């Protein structure tokens, strides 16, 4: 019997679990990387549940912002007091899971300390700086953040306005914010929590600007925590989500720091002001690539959670009759509900598969960089940029679809959707605005296209399709015989066609425009090319991963993978029908394939979401709770409202009561 079935559960959700045609536990192990990883997840979960300091006094939805920040700070200290419970080197796996269980869908005073500050120290300090700072950071003797984004500039790093001017007379850099728009803006924990930061500033030496460089800077006094002289900083106010974190602003007024404040693994400034450039111009991108890499897994986890909530709720919510007189049906029985929710689940599976691959590639590149090998760095940057953009956008849209699929209750914070959306949608902007990321990918694609046209292309596997000739028409006969290779060929055709459409338009525009104006004039087509490049990768990678799955899981995973691919194809019908590559009857076959996948996934839907192994503590949703007992739980949750602490509110005594009394006196 499924471990997800327990006495007292809602009867409908229990019956759904009994329908499963696969072993849920084996699917969980496949998703998360094996039985041992799954075992460790359960051990970490049991530990977190056993520690009182990790528990919230009331649901966080009912806390004020000040209460949330205080509560999160309490929990993060407890969490980092107990890091011996996890493998600290496995941030992708145990670290992210431990934090998700402890902090929920919120950040905390030390989020950037661990995700940006420490990795930057590890990646960009020289040996002497590493000895000085890393132990302090890991031991929590200091709390750091990463201050790059400014009020006036985010993605365009070359135009950051904060300056660091070297003074050889004192061997110091002078940090300054010359304008309001030079204010650092958005860094997590900067407002009130961090006392140190890696600050990215334009380096000036010997009268020349050498571009943005990272500096480690003390912001607040070690004991009093007051801002140091010349430093102005604070909280930027409430946001759409993640309000348990004090995102901050920072301005410098001619603040002096020692020469060794410049992180010098790659670029250096000698005592006399001589600048030594890094051997490779892209080496400093490592930290940002790392963050984008883990973002992909985080986004897939959030979309998986949304799909879990919507699927479980749809299995216990009964509404309307399909056959008159037969009683109300589970809303999951409606094909329209399946069409809304199940493609989001398929996306989550595809994104998790990509997250695993990007993690492995990141670790490979990190190892190569230690030996001075930068061969894969550009490819990783392109892949992580494109995946970050497409995955975060599709995740945000998917979460909203899942919310809408839950009707009125999906609008309540009890559902978990507002928090999931507020947390995940930020990923469309932070660590690189999505459209800008797509245009970075496009530069790689245009270079590849030019190489193909000139016969000089040397393309890795991910871009090899650009150099293929390909068939003039789709080989699809029926959806029952639509092979993985044929699906990939059809996607390659559309991706390749869009790449060369953008390339040809760019070359034409360059005949009469300056290069930068030509690029801007075709930027919509360039972004489209990048999206197809990434979606092709996602489908190809997912199909490949499923082909290697155990036989007893492969049959249901094939339905999920096909649904993902078919959904992409039918969402862009015109691209496939263009120039007669596909016929309308072939496209109808793909549509029929979608409906068949929905029908085949339907009896396995609840067990598929169970396989993601979300405990109620991680899911944080009344609608998506494991036992399916949604309605009594909603009523219980509502009792936490501050408005229910008294029967009569001051608003009645002061305004509504007098209004009604006055009106009655005049009747």
């Amino acid at each position: 019997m499924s471990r997800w079935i327990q006495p007292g559960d809602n009867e409908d959700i229990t019956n759904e679990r009994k329908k499963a045609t696969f072993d849920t536990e084996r699917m969980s192990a496949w998703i998360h990387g094996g039985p041992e990883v799954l075992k460790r997840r359960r051990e970490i979960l049991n530990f977190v549940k056993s520690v009182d300091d990790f528990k919230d006094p009331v649901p966080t939805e009912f806390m004020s912002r000040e209460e949330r920040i205080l509560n999160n700070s309490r929990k993060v200290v407890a969490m980092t007091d107990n890091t011996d419970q996890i493998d600290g080197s496995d941030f992708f796996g145990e670290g992210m899971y431990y934090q998700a269980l402890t902090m929920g869908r919120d950040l905390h005073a030390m989020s950037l300390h661990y995700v940006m500050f420490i990795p930057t120290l590890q990646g960009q300090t020289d040996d002497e700086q590493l000895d000085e700072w890393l132990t302090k950071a890991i031991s929590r003797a200091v709390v750091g953040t990463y201050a790059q984004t400014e009020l006036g500039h985010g993605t365009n790093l070359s135009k950051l306005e904060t300056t660091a001017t070297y003074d050889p007379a004192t061997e110091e850099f002078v940090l300054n914010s010359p304008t309001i728009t030079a204010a650092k803006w958005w860094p997590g924990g900067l407002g009130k929590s961090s006392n140190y930061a890696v600050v990215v500033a334009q380096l000036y030496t010997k009268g020349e600007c050498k571009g943005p460089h990272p500096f480690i800077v003390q912001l607040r006094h070690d004991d009093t925590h007051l801002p140091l002289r010349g430093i102005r900083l604070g909280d930027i106010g409430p946001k759409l989500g993640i309000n348990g974190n004090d995102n901050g602003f920072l301005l410098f007024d001619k603040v002096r720091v020692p020469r060794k404040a410049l992180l010098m693994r790659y670029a250096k400034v000698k005592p006399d002001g001589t600048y030594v450039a890094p051997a490779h111009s892209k080496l400093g991108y490592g930290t940002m690539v790392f963050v984008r890499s883990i973002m992909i897994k985080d986004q897939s986890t959030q979309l998986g959670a949304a799909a879990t909530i919507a699927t479980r709720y749809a299995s216990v919510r009964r509404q309307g009759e399909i056959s008159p007189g037969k009683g109300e049906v589970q809303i999951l029985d409606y094909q329209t509900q399946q069409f809304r929710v199940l493609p989001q689940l398929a996306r989550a599976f595809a994104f998790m598969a990509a997250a695993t691959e990007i993690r492995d590639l990141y670790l490979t590149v990190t190892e190569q960089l230690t030996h001075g090998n930068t061969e894969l760095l550009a490819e990783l940057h392109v892949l992580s940029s494109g995946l970050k953009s497409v995955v975060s956008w599709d995740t945000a849209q998917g979460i909203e679809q899942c919310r809408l699929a839950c009707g009125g209750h999906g609008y309540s914070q009890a559902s978990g959707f507002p928090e999931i959306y507020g947390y995940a949608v930020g990923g469309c902007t932070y660590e690189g605005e999505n459209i800008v990321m797509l245009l970075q990918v496009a530069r790689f694609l245009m270079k590849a296209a030019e190489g193909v046209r000139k016969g000089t292309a040397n393309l890795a596997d991910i871009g090899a399709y650009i150099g293929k000739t390909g068939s003039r028409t789709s080989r699809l006969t029926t959806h029952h015989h639509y092979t993985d290779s044929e699906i990939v060929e059809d996607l390659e055709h559309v991706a390749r066609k869009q790449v060369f459409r953008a390339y040809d338009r760019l070359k034409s525009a360059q005949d009469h425009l300056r290069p930068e104006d030509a690029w801007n004039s075709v930027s919509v087509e360039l972004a489209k090319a990048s999206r197809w490049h990434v979606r092709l990768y996602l489908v190809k990678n997912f199909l490949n991963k499923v082909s290697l799955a155990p036989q007893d899981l492969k049959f249901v995973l094939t339905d999920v993978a096909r649904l993902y691919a078919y959904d992409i194809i039918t969402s862009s019908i015109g691209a496939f029908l263009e120039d007669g590559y596909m016929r309308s009857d072939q496209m109808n076959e793909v549509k029929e394939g979608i409906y068949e996948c929905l029908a085949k996934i339907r009896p396995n839907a609840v067990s598929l979401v169970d396989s993601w192994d979300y405990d109620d503590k991680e899911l944080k949703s009344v609608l998506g709770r494991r036992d399916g007992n949604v309605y009594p739980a909603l009523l219980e949750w509502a009792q936490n409202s501050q408005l229910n602490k008294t029967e009569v509110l001051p608003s009645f005594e002061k305004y509504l009561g007098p209004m009604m009394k006055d009106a009655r006196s005049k009747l």
Side-chain angles (χ1 to χ4, degrees):
M1 186 174 72
S2 170
R3 69 185 294 273
W4 295 91
I5 298 175
Q6 294 181 21
D9 288 356
N10 177 281
E11 183 179 355
D12 282 333
I13 206 167
T14 296
N15 288 335
E16 290 294 329
R17 287 171 173 141
K18 289 178 178 178
K19 293 177 185 176
T21 60
F22 65 93
D23 186 325
T24 307
E25 195 74 355
R26 281 178 53 74
M27 184 68 80
S28 295
W30 185 83
I31 292 170
H32 292 292
E36 284 303 311
V37 176
L38 194 59
K39 179 184 175 184
R40 282 293 299 139
R41 282 174 61 89
R42 307 269 169 78
E43 290 171 351
I44 294 168
L45 171 64
N46 290 334
F47 171 73
V48 170
K49 284 184 167 182
S50 72
V51 177
D52 288 340
D53 281 345
F54 292 155
K55 297 173 182 174
D56 298 316
V58 296
T60 55
E61 306 89 77
F62 297 104
M63 292 183 183
S64 67
R65 184 146 185 257
E66 292 83 357
E67 289 170 336
R68 288 187 75 152
I69 289 175
L70 184 64
N71 187 53
N72 284 4
S73 296
R74 174 185 62 80
K75 289 197 294 182
V76 73
V77 171
M79 181 180 78
T80 53
D81 278 343
N82 291 280
T83 51
D84 57 339
Q85 298 294 323
I86 63 167
D87 177 0
S89 67
D90 181 20
F91 187 80
F92 281 89
E94 295 191 10
M96 289 179 70
Y97 184 57
Y98 180 47
Q99 179 166 279
L101 289 173
T102 307
M103 306 306 305
R105 295 178 192 92
D106 206 346
L107 300 182
H108 50 75
M110 301 181 72
S111 291
L112 263 65
H113 178 83
Y114 288 107
V115 177
M116 293 291 287
F117 186 70
I118 289 178
T120 301
L121 295 180
Q122 292 171 321
Q124 300 201 44
T125 55
D126 61 24
D127 291 343
E128 181 182 337
Q129 292 171 321
L130 193 66
D131 288 342
E132 178 180 0
W133 293 108
L134 188 60
T135 300
K136 293 178 182 178
I138 291 176
S139 68
R140 305 173 300 171
V142 301
V143 175
T145 186
Y146 188 87
Q148 176 173 284
T149 299
E150 296 178 352
L151 195 55
H153 290 89
T155 305
N156 189 9
L157 302 185
S158 66
K159 296 299 181 182
L160 292 178
E161 296 178 79
T162 302
T163 59
T165 305
Y166 186 65
D167 181 356
T170 59
E171 294 189 22
E172 293 175 316
F173 284 98
V174 181
L175 287 166
N176 196 47
S177 305
T179 63
I180 290 294
T181 49
K184 296 299 180 185
W185 195 272
W186 279 112
L190 175 64
K192 297 294 178 180
S193 302
S194 300
N195 57 355
Y196 282 78
V198 169
V199 176
V200 180
Q202 299 284 3
L203 191 160
Y204 284 83
T205 184
K206 294 189 174 182
E208 293 184 6
C209 179
K210 300 298 182 179
H213 287 68
F215 298 80
I216 187 164
V217 181
Q218 183 173 359
L219 306 177
R220 293 177 177 271
H221 191 278
D222 287 338
D223 297 321
T224 67
H225 204 60
L226 291 171
L228 299 184
R229 183 178 177 182
I231 291 175
R232 179 186 174 194
L233 73 170
D235 178 72
I236 65 170
K239 295 123 358 210
L240 179 65
I242 317 179
N243 282 302
N245 187 24
D246 53 317
N247 297 77
F249 66 83
L250 167 65
L251 294 110
F252 295 101
D253 183 10
K254 300 180 177 62
V255 175
R256 288 182 171 266
V257 297
R259 179 179 65 90
K260 292 292 285 184
L262 170 66
L263 304 190
M264 295 199 196
R265 171 170 288 190
Y266 302 119
K268 306 179 191 303
V269 170
K270 294 181 178 181
D272 67 353
T274 300
Y275 178 77
V276 181
H280 191 285
S281 63
K282 304 295 185 184
L283 287 172
Y285 284 8
T287 301
M288 190 164 288
V289 169
F290 170 74
V291 174
R292 289 174 189 156
S293 301
I294 63 173
M295 276 180 66
I296 298 162
K297 181 182 180 183
D298 196 26
Q299 292 283 316
S300 71
T301 302
Q302 299 311 317
L303 183 54
T308 297
I309 295 165
T311 301
R312 286 180 177 171
Y313 179 65
S315 75
V316 301
R317 177 75 168 181
R318 287 182 173 270
Q319 201 81 180
E321 295 181 327
I322 294 178
S323 301
K326 298 287 187 179
E328 291 195 301
V329 301
Q330 296 161 278
I331 60 175
L332 193 53
D333 285 337
Y334 291 106
Q335 189 186 62
T336 49
Q337 187 77 357
Q338 298 164 19
F339 188 66
R340 230 178 189 179
V341 175
L342 297 183
Q344 314 314 326
L345 177 60
R347 283 181 177 180
F349 270 95
F351 298 164
M352 182 63 83
T356 302
E357 290 301 310
I358 196 72
R359 174 200 63 189
D360 293 344
L361 185 56
Y362 169 76
L363 294 174
T364 299
V365 170
T366 300
E367 174 63 24
Q368 290 180 348
L369 286 177
T370 63
H371 303 292
N373 183 350
T374 62
E375 187 178 315
L376 280 178
L377 185 61
E379 183 174 338
L380 175 61
H381 184 254
V382 168
L383 186 56
S384 67
S385 297
L387 283 169
K388 182 268 177 195
S389 177
V390 171
V391 168
S392 61
W393 170 257
D394 285 352
T395 292
Q397 304 308 303
I399 292 167
E400 177 65 357
Q401 279 300 310
C402 289
R403 182 190 72 80
L404 292 169
C406 291
H409 293 320
Y411 192 67
S412 169
Q413 289 201 26
S415 70
F417 288 121
E419 188 174 65
I420 296 174
Y421 185 81
Y423 177 84
V425 76
C428 292
T429 307
Y430 65 75
E431 302 314 321
E433 196 277 331
N434 277 357
I435 299 299
V436 175
M437 294 296 96
L438 291 174
L439 292 175
Q440 286 185 4
V441 176
R443 293 194 182 279
F444 162 81
L445 296 177
M446 294 304 98
K447 184 178 179 181
E450 185 162 47
V452 169
R453 286 280 171 85
K454 291 181 176 179
T456 60
N458 182 21
L459 298 170
D461 181 60
I462 186 174
Y465 71 94
I466 302 172
K468 291 182 181 178
T469 302
S471 173
R472 296 178 67 87
T473 57
S474 172
R475 293 192 292 153
L476 167 63
T477 54
T478 70
H479 67 273
H480 294 114
H481 300 99
Y482 200 13
T483 65
D484 287 0
S485 61
E486 289 170 346
I487 291 171
V488 171
E489 282 176 13
D490 289 345
L491 288 163
E492 284 182 342
H493 167 81
V494 171
R496 180 170 52 247
K497 189 174 184 64
Q498 182 59 41
V499 167
F500 282 106
R501 174 185 286 116
Y503 176 79
D504 290 338
R505 286 203 63 194
L506 179 62
K507 285 300 175 184
S508 176
Q510 287 173 344
D511 289 340
H512 58 279
L513 294 172
R514 293 180 305 170
E516 57 271 24
D517 292 328
W519 183 266
N520 183 53
S521 72
V522 298
S523 56
V524 172
E525 296 297 332
L526 291 166
K528 288 179 181 178
S530 297
R531 289 191 188 96
W532 278 115
H533 176 73
V534 174
R535 285 176 179 146
L536 166 62
Y537 168 81
L538 285 164
V539 171
K540 187 176 179 181
N541 180 68
F542 190 20
L543 290 173
N544 181 63
K545 188 172 177 67
V546 168
S547 73
L548 301 174
Q551 199 61 40
D552 60 319
L553 303 178
K554 189 181 295 184
F555 71 96
V556 66
L557 284 168
T558 297
D559 295 332
V560 175
R562 291 301 178 93
L563 178 59
Y564 177 65
Y566 295 166
D567 184 54
I568 287 177
I569 293 171
T570 57
S571 296
S572 302
I573 292 174
F576 291 87
L577 296 179
E578 189 176 345
D579 294 337
Y581 180 77
M582 264 192 181
R583 304 184 307 272
S584 58
D585 62 298
Q586 290 176 309
M587 187 56 68
N588 286 336
E589 279 294 326
V590 181
K591 293 178 182 177
E592 289 301 320
I594 286 183
Y595 305 141
E596 182 171 293
C597 286
L598 295 177
K600 290 171 71 176
I601 293 170
R602 166 64 186 88
N604 283 314
V606 169
S607 291
L608 277 169
V609 299
D610 286 348
S611 299
W612 281 71
D613 199 49
Y614 295 106
D615 186 81
D616 283 350
K617 181 170 182 59
E618 181 182 9
L619 202 59
K620 289 189 66 182
S621 169
V622 176
L623 299 191
R625 52 188 292 138
R626 181 206 58 79
D627 62 14
N629 294 323
V630 170
Y631 301 127
L634 275 171
L635 186 59
E636 180 183 352
W637 178 86
Q639 305 315 304
N640 291 287
S641 172
Q642 296 90 335
L643 301 185
N644 290 329
K645 296 187 184 305
T646 178
E647 287 297 334
V648 180
L649 295 177
S651 58
F652 175 81
E653 302 289 352
K654 194 169 184 179
Y655 300 111
L656 301 179
M659 175 194 73
M660 290 186 281
K661 184 177 181 180
D662 180 63
R664 286 195 298 269
S665 71
K666 297 174 181 177
L667 294 176

